[in-house]
Amino acid sequence: MRSSVFLLCVLGLSLTQIQFSRADLVKQTCRQTPNYHLCVQTLRSDPRSSHADVAGLAMVMVDMIKAKSIATLHRISELLGTAPHPKTKATLRRCAELYDNAVLKADIPSAMEALKTGNPKFAEQGANDAANEADSCERAFSGASPITSFNRSVSNLSRVASAIIRLLL
Amino acid sequence: MADPNPARTFADPEDPIIAATVPDHYTPLLDVDPPAGENSRLPLKGFLVILSGLVLVGLLMALIGENGPSVSQDSQQNDLTLNAPAESTNISAQFLEPASRGPSAGVSEKSFRLHSGVRAPFPWSNTMLTWQRTGYHFQPEKNWMNDPNGPMFYGGWYHFFYQYNPDAAVWGNIVWGHAVSKDLIEWLHLPLAMVADQWYDTNGVWTGSATLLSDGQVIMLYTGATNESVQVQNLAYPADLSDPLLVDWVKYPGNPVLVPPPGIDDKDFRDPTTAWYWPDGKWRIAIGSKVNKTGISLVYNTEDFKKYELIEGVLHAVPGTGMWECVDLYPVSLKEDNGLDTSFNGPGVKHVLKASLDDDKNDYYAIGTYSLESGNWTPDNPNLDVGIGLRYDYGKFYASKTFYDQNKQRRILWGWIGETDGESADIKKGWASVQSIPRTVVFDKKTGTNILQWPVAEIKSLRKSSKKFDKLEVGPGSVVTLEVEKATQMDITAEFEIDKEALKRIGESDVEYSCRTSGGSAQRGELGPFGLLLLADEGRCEQTPVYFYVAKGTDGQLKTFFCTDESRSSLANDVDKRIFGSTVPVIKGEKLSMRILVDHSIIESFAQGGRTCITSRVYPTKAIYGAAQLYVFNNATSASITASIQTWAMKSAYIRPYSSHQES
């Protein structure tokens, strides 16, 4: 009885040790990105991070870029439905095109495939491109952007992803 | 000679404050505002107090194990100050600007693009985008292309395969495109040679090379990304050797023929080379890889291309260079002007070893000796070893591959030239990437340290109306218009002489010049810059100078630099606008000479017969179609130059699908 309790304790301790080392990988990786907090927060919010290697962490981050981009597109269509000023409308439309055609249809799939198959430079390109598109969209509003937090989010996540991917090169 | 790669520094990942403010070994998108320099302004005592406080906090955190540092980067996202990119960094080029040296160094801020990292999107019109497509460089009709694959001459045709995405203008879903040509200039597109239809290449039919056997067999080895994303090597061969077009290909049922060996990561094993024959009667191939940060080339031998044996050790390794992609090893003759079959070895021969560095997206080569006894390759100059010395090209040029053209006894080099514009523009225009014009490669007998690359002679078949500008005097600080027929598609040769008096007068410089960190063509020196302004509009708001800059180095020796300055190539700010180049060796008595191929959004420049090459991608918004002009300029402060220039307008090359081909 005592020996099994002992074994259970040892097992429990070992498991926490493994968890601790994985948490270390998340921290270690995030320290090498431009936004430690965002990186740790994002990775921790996904259960896959606890048993992922660096490439896996990059994939989690890319998935989050995808999720935020979809959310941005939703927000854009909401705003378009409120009959905005024509100039804002045109810019919103341009942004929708960027997020849909560039980020979601091109950058994300390209980055994911590159990470999966071990050709990280194309993933880095995809992440950089996503940040570029988000920045482009924000810039196009000339200071009067109604979706700043969305664009910033995608941009920041992309930059973090790019930094993580750089670790694979 | 090229600047060596900057030493890679590693931030201390343990100290969260340092990690957050000091850039790591990569060239980051990192916000370093306030820069590390600000810390050094704090009084030492205060700094020590803060440091011990941090250590205490750090210890506490380690105990708890949950929290990160409290330094937040969020507030600084809008105003990013970026580091100067490393000499040969291309990867993050879309974000990074060279750090401005500021007005105190004589640099007007206007000559650099935004250093905030936020790139204003340019309203690209279809007219502008359509113009970007090349007239005579190889490219598929649409979508994404990257590495050249399996180039060879067979059945009376030059065959060219390439990495292709049939679905989009970005990398992905990679398969093998195929085209054939009689002259390396006019191409017929054929059906895809290989698609991702087997478990061992379902995640990508990647780069490979062809070996022609003396019995007429054609061996194609290529990398497949398996269903589990392991990188393996596969064998394929033509379905019908009597079909000179080699349209159909068969994959060996026993694939894969090679899997990553022990100690090599599943994702660091790709791009098999053409095989060369070894005195033991077997064939050898090389495959690039890495161990930690050391780039290596593995060697295998085989008798039948189906069973392989890993040869102990490596062909060569260079620490700090990272993953070696697209390794290439080939002989060059020290005496003759012709190319050599890949298996050739012996006296009067040196071997060029080349690798594409994944880290910085540049192709590096080194000349050395490949010993038939030891099976090792050693560089002539270890300081210019693979990855730390010379580059094939100082601009945009990657994943290159040579082949032996037995038809004309030449060694020919293909290079992938990607886009440097915004990726949303690529999606809008529906395509991305071109190939360089194939180049012959020979050993440079005059220097003994370089190879010479030169556009294949067949390119001259596209030349039409020629114009000569003989012995043009171009005084210091002047620009001369060269009236030409079609400034967007040109072949140009130019020779320059600097007035001898100025050469004698020049004083020493205490600062070493570098194309990359210079102010480009706007930075005036006593003996340069001077050269040509390409794709310039009439007001010269847009212009791409390709030029020489001569200076006396800190050692008192005259040094010649060859640069391409993209900084004013376009009014658009969402494209790369870099200044590239390198020193170019000039033998006593040689005039300074350049050759330039202008073809819409690509400019290929060659100095001193191809000793130093620069490929550039530019995306002007005004200097397009009939508005593009050509000038010769001299921005030196004291030297006059005499220029002799010859230009040809270039016809477009016939590059069409085979089905539309009329000839029988």
Side-chain angles (χ1 to χ4, degrees), chain B residues 115-132:
Chain B
H115 46 261
S116 69
V118 179
R119 299 149 56 108
F122 189 83
W124 292 99
S125 69
N126 280 330
T127 310
M128 294 169 188
L129 294 178
T130 310
W131 176 87
Q132 292 172 9

PDB file of all heavy atoms in Angstrom, chain B residues 115-132:
ATOM      1  N   HIS B 115      11.115  54.206 -41.666  1.00  0.00           N
ATOM      2  CA  HIS B 115      11.737  53.256 -40.773  1.00  0.00           C
ATOM      3  C   HIS B 115      10.799  52.921 -39.631  1.00  0.00           C
ATOM      4  O   HIS B 115      11.198  52.515 -38.579  1.00  0.00           O
ATOM      5  CB  HIS B 115      13.110  53.734 -40.269  1.00  0.00           C
ATOM      6  CG  HIS B 115      13.148  55.151 -39.814  1.00  0.00           C
ATOM      7  ND1 HIS B 115      13.610  56.154 -40.613  1.00  0.00           N
ATOM      8  CD2 HIS B 115      12.789  55.718 -38.654  1.00  0.00           C
ATOM      9  CE1 HIS B 115      13.526  57.299 -39.944  1.00  0.00           C
ATOM     10  NE2 HIS B 115      13.041  57.067 -38.760  1.00  0.00           N
ATOM     11  N   SER B 116       9.533  53.104 -39.878  1.00  0.00           N
ATOM     12  CA  SER B 116       8.592  52.692 -38.839  1.00  0.00           C
ATOM     13  C   SER B 116       8.114  51.278 -39.082  1.00  0.00           C
ATOM     14  O   SER B 116       7.460  50.693 -38.268  1.00  0.00           O
ATOM     15  CB  SER B 116       7.383  53.627 -38.819  1.00  0.00           C
ATOM     16  OG  SER B 116       6.630  53.410 -39.995  1.00  0.00           O
ATOM     17  N   GLY B 117       8.430  50.743 -40.249  1.00  0.00           N
ATOM     18  CA  GLY B 117       8.028  49.373 -40.520  1.00  0.00           C
ATOM     19  C   GLY B 117       6.616  49.243 -41.046  1.00  0.00           C
ATOM     20  O   GLY B 117       6.216  48.192 -41.506  1.00  0.00           O
ATOM     21  N   VAL B 118       5.845  50.315 -40.966  1.00  0.00           N
ATOM     22  CA  VAL B 118       4.478  50.219 -41.503  1.00  0.00           C
ATOM     23  C   VAL B 118       4.514  50.688 -42.948  1.00  0.00           C
ATOM     24  O   VAL B 118       4.919  51.793 -43.241  1.00  0.00           O
ATOM     25  CB  VAL B 118       3.496  51.097 -40.692  1.00  0.00           C
ATOM     26  CG1 VAL B 118       2.103  51.001 -41.271  1.00  0.00           C
ATOM     27  CG2 VAL B 118       3.494  50.646 -39.235  1.00  0.00           C
ATOM     28  N   ARG B 119       4.138  49.831 -43.859  1.00  0.00           N
ATOM     29  CA  ARG B 119       4.306  50.148 -45.261  1.00  0.00           C
ATOM     30  C   ARG B 119       2.981  50.595 -45.850  1.00  0.00           C
ATOM     31  O   ARG B 119       2.037  49.821 -45.904  1.00  0.00           O
ATOM     32  CB  ARG B 119       4.832  48.918 -45.980  1.00  0.00           C
ATOM     33  CG  ARG B 119       6.187  48.495 -45.436  1.00  0.00           C
ATOM     34  CD  ARG B 119       6.394  47.012 -45.512  1.00  0.00           C
ATOM     35  NE  ARG B 119       6.230  46.503 -46.845  1.00  0.00           N
ATOM     36  CZ  ARG B 119       7.260  46.076 -47.598  1.00  0.00           C
ATOM     37  NH1 ARG B 119       8.479  46.135 -47.156  1.00  0.00           N
ATOM     38  NH2 ARG B 119       7.034  45.589 -48.789  1.00  0.00           N
ATOM     39  N   ALA B 120       2.925  51.824 -46.304  1.00  0.00           N
ATOM     40  CA  ALA B 120       1.707  52.339 -46.906  1.00  0.00           C
ATOM     41  C   ALA B 120       1.404  51.539 -48.156  1.00  0.00           C
ATOM     42  O   ALA B 120       2.246  51.383 -49.022  1.00  0.00           O
ATOM     43  CB  ALA B 120       1.891  53.809 -47.248  1.00  0.00           C
ATOM     44  N   PRO B 121       0.185  51.032 -48.262  1.00  0.00           N
ATOM     45  CA  PRO B 121      -0.159  50.222 -49.445  1.00  0.00           C
ATOM     46  C   PRO B 121      -0.246  51.120 -50.669  1.00  0.00           C
ATOM     47  O   PRO B 121      -0.761  52.221 -50.591  1.00  0.00           O
ATOM     48  CB  PRO B 121      -1.523  49.636 -49.092  1.00  0.00           C
ATOM     49  CG  PRO B 121      -2.097  50.560 -48.079  1.00  0.00           C
ATOM     50  CD  PRO B 121      -0.969  51.193 -47.359  1.00  0.00           C
ATOM     51  N   PHE B 122       0.268  50.649 -51.780  1.00  0.00           N
ATOM     52  CA  PHE B 122       0.221  51.450 -53.001  1.00  0.00           C
ATOM     53  C   PHE B 122      -0.972  51.007 -53.836  1.00  0.00           C
ATOM     54  O   PHE B 122      -1.239  49.811 -53.952  1.00  0.00           O
ATOM     55  CB  PHE B 122       1.512  51.268 -53.804  1.00  0.00           C
ATOM     56  CG  PHE B 122       1.614  52.231 -54.954  1.00  0.00           C
ATOM     57  CD1 PHE B 122       2.082  53.516 -54.737  1.00  0.00           C
ATOM     58  CD2 PHE B 122       1.216  51.858 -56.229  1.00  0.00           C
ATOM     59  CE1 PHE B 122       2.163  54.414 -55.790  1.00  0.00           C
ATOM     60  CE2 PHE B 122       1.292  52.750 -57.283  1.00  0.00           C
ATOM     61  CZ  PHE B 122       1.763  54.038 -57.061  1.00  0.00           C
ATOM     62  N   PRO B 123      -1.680  51.979 -54.408  1.00  0.00           N
ATOM     63  CA  PRO B 123      -2.824  51.603 -55.246  1.00  0.00           C
ATOM     64  C   PRO B 123      -2.375  51.102 -56.617  1.00  0.00           C
ATOM     65  O   PRO B 123      -2.361  51.836 -57.590  1.00  0.00           O
ATOM     66  CB  PRO B 123      -3.623  52.915 -55.373  1.00  0.00           C
ATOM     67  CG  PRO B 123      -2.594  53.993 -55.195  1.00  0.00           C
ATOM     68  CD  PRO B 123      -1.537  53.449 -54.283  1.00  0.00           C
ATOM     69  N   TRP B 124      -1.976  49.834 -56.670  1.00  0.00           N
ATOM     70  CA  TRP B 124      -1.462  49.271 -57.914  1.00  0.00           C
ATOM     71  C   TRP B 124      -2.579  49.139 -58.938  1.00  0.00           C
ATOM     72  O   TRP B 124      -3.616  48.540 -58.657  1.00  0.00           O
ATOM     73  CB  TRP B 124      -0.857  47.890 -57.670  1.00  0.00           C
ATOM     74  CG  TRP B 124       0.390  47.958 -56.858  1.00  0.00           C
ATOM     75  CD1 TRP B 124       0.517  47.724 -55.526  1.00  0.00           C
ATOM     76  CD2 TRP B 124       1.694  48.339 -57.320  1.00  0.00           C
ATOM     77  NE1 TRP B 124       1.815  47.913 -55.130  1.00  0.00           N
ATOM     78  CE2 TRP B 124       2.569  48.293 -56.206  1.00  0.00           C
ATOM     79  CE3 TRP B 124       2.218  48.697 -58.567  1.00  0.00           C
ATOM     80  CZ2 TRP B 124       3.926  48.590 -56.299  1.00  0.00           C
ATOM     81  CZ3 TRP B 124       3.563  48.995 -58.662  1.00  0.00           C
ATOM     82  CH2 TRP B 124       4.408  48.942 -57.543  1.00  0.00           C
ATOM     83  N   SER B 125      -2.365  49.677 -60.097  1.00  0.00           N
ATOM     84  CA  SER B 125      -3.358  49.532 -61.155  1.00  0.00           C
ATOM     85  C   SER B 125      -3.008  48.292 -61.969  1.00  0.00           C
ATOM     86  O   SER B 125      -1.879  47.806 -61.933  1.00  0.00           O
ATOM     87  CB  SER B 125      -3.333  50.757 -62.068  1.00  0.00           C
ATOM     88  OG  SER B 125      -2.112  50.761 -62.796  1.00  0.00           O
ATOM     89  N   ASN B 126      -3.988  47.796 -62.716  1.00  0.00           N
ATOM     90  CA  ASN B 126      -3.720  46.626 -63.557  1.00  0.00           C
ATOM     91  C   ASN B 126      -2.652  46.920 -64.604  1.00  0.00           C
ATOM     92  O   ASN B 126      -1.863  46.060 -64.952  1.00  0.00           O
ATOM     93  CB  ASN B 126      -5.008  46.148 -64.235  1.00  0.00           C
ATOM     94  CG  ASN B 126      -5.838  45.319 -63.281  1.00  0.00           C
ATOM     95  OD1 ASN B 126      -5.296  44.662 -62.394  1.00  0.00           O
ATOM     96  ND2 ASN B 126      -7.148  45.352 -63.449  1.00  0.00           N
ATOM     97  N   THR B 127      -2.627  48.156 -65.058  1.00  0.00           N
ATOM     98  CA  THR B 127      -1.609  48.556 -66.037  1.00  0.00           C
ATOM     99  C   THR B 127      -0.213  48.398 -65.460  1.00  0.00           C
ATOM    100  O   THR B 127       0.686  47.848 -66.096  1.00  0.00           O
ATOM    101  CB  THR B 127      -1.824  50.022 -66.454  1.00  0.00           C
ATOM    102  OG1 THR B 127      -3.189  50.185 -66.812  1.00  0.00           O
ATOM    103  CG2 THR B 127      -0.934  50.409 -67.622  1.00  0.00           C
ATOM    104  N   MET B 128      -0.053  48.869 -64.241  1.00  0.00           N
ATOM    105  CA  MET B 128       1.263  48.760 -63.599  1.00  0.00           C
ATOM    106  C   MET B 128       1.633  47.302 -63.363  1.00  0.00           C
ATOM    107  O   MET B 128       2.769  46.896 -63.578  1.00  0.00           O
ATOM    108  CB  MET B 128       1.233  49.471 -62.247  1.00  0.00           C
ATOM    109  CG  MET B 128       1.054  50.962 -62.327  1.00  0.00           C
ATOM    110  SD  MET B 128       0.726  51.574 -60.672  1.00  0.00           S
ATOM    111  CE  MET B 128       0.307  53.264 -61.023  1.00  0.00           C
ATOM    112  N   LEU B 129       0.643  46.527 -62.904  1.00  0.00           N
ATOM    113  CA  LEU B 129       0.943  45.136 -62.583  1.00  0.00           C
ATOM    114  C   LEU B 129       1.239  44.321 -63.847  1.00  0.00           C
ATOM    115  O   LEU B 129       2.117  43.470 -63.850  1.00  0.00           O
ATOM    116  CB  LEU B 129      -0.218  44.509 -61.800  1.00  0.00           C
ATOM    117  CG  LEU B 129      -0.471  45.077 -60.398  1.00  0.00           C
ATOM    118  CD1 LEU B 129      -1.684  44.401 -59.764  1.00  0.00           C
ATOM    119  CD2 LEU B 129       0.750  44.909 -59.511  1.00  0.00           C
ATOM    120  N   THR B 130       0.474  44.578 -64.882  1.00  0.00           N
ATOM    121  CA  THR B 130       0.682  43.846 -66.137  1.00  0.00           C
ATOM    122  C   THR B 130       2.077  44.121 -66.692  1.00  0.00           C
ATOM    123  O   THR B 130       2.734  43.237 -67.220  1.00  0.00           O
ATOM    124  CB  THR B 130      -0.362  44.253 -67.191  1.00  0.00           C
ATOM    125  OG1 THR B 130      -1.653  44.158 -66.589  1.00  0.00           O
ATOM    126  CG2 THR B 130      -0.307  43.333 -68.400  1.00  0.00           C
ATOM    127  N   TRP B 131       2.521  45.346 -66.541  1.00  0.00           N
ATOM    128  CA  TRP B 131       3.844  45.713 -67.049  1.00  0.00           C
ATOM    129  C   TRP B 131       4.942  44.873 -66.415  1.00  0.00           C
ATOM    130  O   TRP B 131       5.974  44.605 -67.030  1.00  0.00           O
ATOM    131  CB  TRP B 131       4.092  47.204 -66.780  1.00  0.00           C
ATOM    132  CG  TRP B 131       5.475  47.636 -67.176  1.00  0.00           C
ATOM    133  CD1 TRP B 131       5.873  48.068 -68.410  1.00  0.00           C
ATOM    134  CD2 TRP B 131       6.643  47.633 -66.350  1.00  0.00           C
ATOM    135  NE1 TRP B 131       7.223  48.353 -68.398  1.00  0.00           N
ATOM    136  CE2 TRP B 131       7.725  48.088 -67.150  1.00  0.00           C
ATOM    137  CE3 TRP B 131       6.896  47.288 -65.022  1.00  0.00           C
ATOM    138  CZ2 TRP B 131       9.022  48.220 -66.648  1.00  0.00           C
ATOM    139  CZ3 TRP B 131       8.191  47.413 -64.522  1.00  0.00           C
ATOM    140  CH2 TRP B 131       9.241  47.873 -65.335  1.00  0.00           C
ATOM    141  N   GLN B 132       4.722  44.460 -65.162  1.00  0.00           N
ATOM    142  CA  GLN B 132       5.773  43.771 -64.415  1.00  0.00           C
ATOM    143  C   GLN B 132       6.169  42.425 -65.019  1.00  0.00           C
ATOM    144  O   GLN B 132       7.271  41.936 -64.794  1.00  0.00           O
ATOM    145  CB  GLN B 132       5.340  43.561 -62.957  1.00  0.00           C
ATOM    146  CG  GLN B 132       5.251  44.864 -62.186  1.00  0.00           C
ATOM    147  CD  GLN B 132       4.641  44.695 -60.803  1.00  0.00           C
ATOM    148  OE1 GLN B 132       4.426  43.577 -60.329  1.00  0.00           O
ATOM    149  NE2 GLN B 132       4.342  45.802 -60.143  1.00  0.00           N
TER     150      GLN B 132
END
